[in-house]
Amino acid sequence: MSDANASKISLYGGVAANVAIAISKFVAAYFTGSSAMLSEGIHSLVDTGNSGLLLYGTAQSQRPPDAEHPFGHSKELYFWGLIVAVLIFAIGGGMSFYEGIKHIQHPEPIEDAGWNYVVLGISFLFEGIAFYLSVKALLAQADANVGFVKMLRTSKDPAVFASVMENLAALVGLALAGLGVFLGHLLNNPYFDGGASIAIGLLLMLVAMFLVGRTKGLLVGTGVDAATLANLERIARDQPQVRNIRSPLTMYLGPNDVMLALDVDFADNLTSSEVATAVERLQDAIRVEHPEVKRIFIEAKNLANAAPVGIK
């Protein structure tokens, strides 16, 4: 399950770090003429805006249901996660790539590279803190036995996995920028600086493509994993009044909001009131082990005493 407080802390930490870092990078780029530093400044500025959008999406997704949105607004977080991915690709990746091409076409020597090293060092420290907070939020919602890559691929909270990917890309981008500045200054070859900017742009585009794929699946409608599905089926079959069930149907409406539809055949000797009681017990049993299942729709069938009825 997603820890909302941990994800918010990671986003607030990212905003605070990126605002300070973006300003320092733009100042360094102005005084040194480094294309890689300008790209990193753009990267940090985009990350700041993205964290703000994810915080907004988180707040909007927590609004209660209303007449027009009977299932709530949980999916709004997925929408803003998709917008963030598009912005990373178009603004972060596109502008960095463009700046690199422009710098290669019209190279300018790096002046006073010391500014860049100071800013890169400070940025690496703050980005490292932001990355730590985002990974901590990811670990808070994942199984301890699951690998890091699988955590990113299975997390249902864009506020967490997008934050982790952004901060990871920021650290790698800083390393690329530092390498470009170092080689460009050492060899007196400004093409290394422009090349680093292009590499940063491509890195951001790859991150954006990953995020688009993840958020698209959540927007379209993703069910729970196979292990959770099997456990839901086990819980239902363990109920003494249940004779048979069909495979459960599930969908994530939000990081902590799962909808479950279950077709259940109850024992023939149950009365209608006993079927209703059995349904309530089944719902309670499911929610004890899976509190993220907020909406349960059971199609209860008791051939001897009742026609099929849908019970929430």
Side-chain angles (χ1 to χ4, degrees), residues 241-275:
Q241 301 90 349
V242 173
R243 186 183 66 179
N244 193 23
I245 69 166
R246 290 183 176 84
S247 182
L249 302 177
T250 63
M251 184 172 67
Y252 274 94
L253 300 178
N256 294 315
D257 189 356
V258 175
M259 182 172 65
L260 167 65
L262 194 58
D263 196 349
V264 182
D265 288 340
F266 289 96
D268 293 343
N269 61 340
L270 298 180
T271 64
S272 296
S273 61
E274 288 174 333
V275 169

Side-chain angles (χ1 to χ4, degrees), residues 76-139:
E76 186 138 358
L77 178 57
Y78 296 155
F79 168 77
W80 289 108
L82 183 62
I83 296 299
V84 163
V86 172
L87 290 177
I88 292 174
F89 186 93
I91 300 179
M95 290 187 68
S96 296
F97 191 87
Y98 170 76
E99 284 296 327
I101 294 295
K102 188 173 73 171
H103 197 75
I104 288 177
Q105 291 176 336
H106 306 286
E108 297 179 6
I110 298 177
E111 300 176 2
D112 193 10
W115 275 85
N116 289 334
Y117 296 132
V118 171
V119 170
L120 285 171
I122 295 173
S123 300
F124 203 88
L125 173 63
F126 282 105
E127 292 287 7
I129 294 173
F131 179 66
Y132 167 77
L133 291 175
S134 62
V135 170
K136 185 178 179 180
L138 180 65
L139 294 174

Side-chain angles (χ1 to χ4, degrees), residues 6 52 81 151 299:
M151 287 182 191
E299 185 76 8

Side-chain angles (χ1 to χ4, degrees), residues 171-253:
L171 290 173
V172 176
L174 287 170
L176 291 172
L179 184 63
V181 170
F182 174 74
L183 292 176
H185 186 248
L186 179 68
L187 303 176
N188 195 27
N189 187 342
Y191 290 111
F192 282 106
D193 188 44
S197 185
I198 292 174
I200 292 169
L202 292 174
L203 170 68
L204 293 178
M205 290 178 182
L206 288 174
V207 169
M209 290 172 64
F210 171 81
L211 295 179
V212 165
R214 292 287 290 109
T215 51
K216 170 183 172 291
L218 293 169
L219 271 175
V220 171
T222 298
V224 300
D225 58 83
T228 302
L229 199 64
N231 195 47
L232 289 170
E233 188 168 342
R234 178 196 61 78
I235 294 171
R237 292 190 184 278
D238 284 348
Q239 301 303 304
Q241 301 90 349
V242 173
R243 186 183 66 179
N244 193 23
I245 69 166
R246 290 183 176 84
S247 182
L249 302 177
T250 63
M251 184 172 67
Y252 274 94
L253 300 178

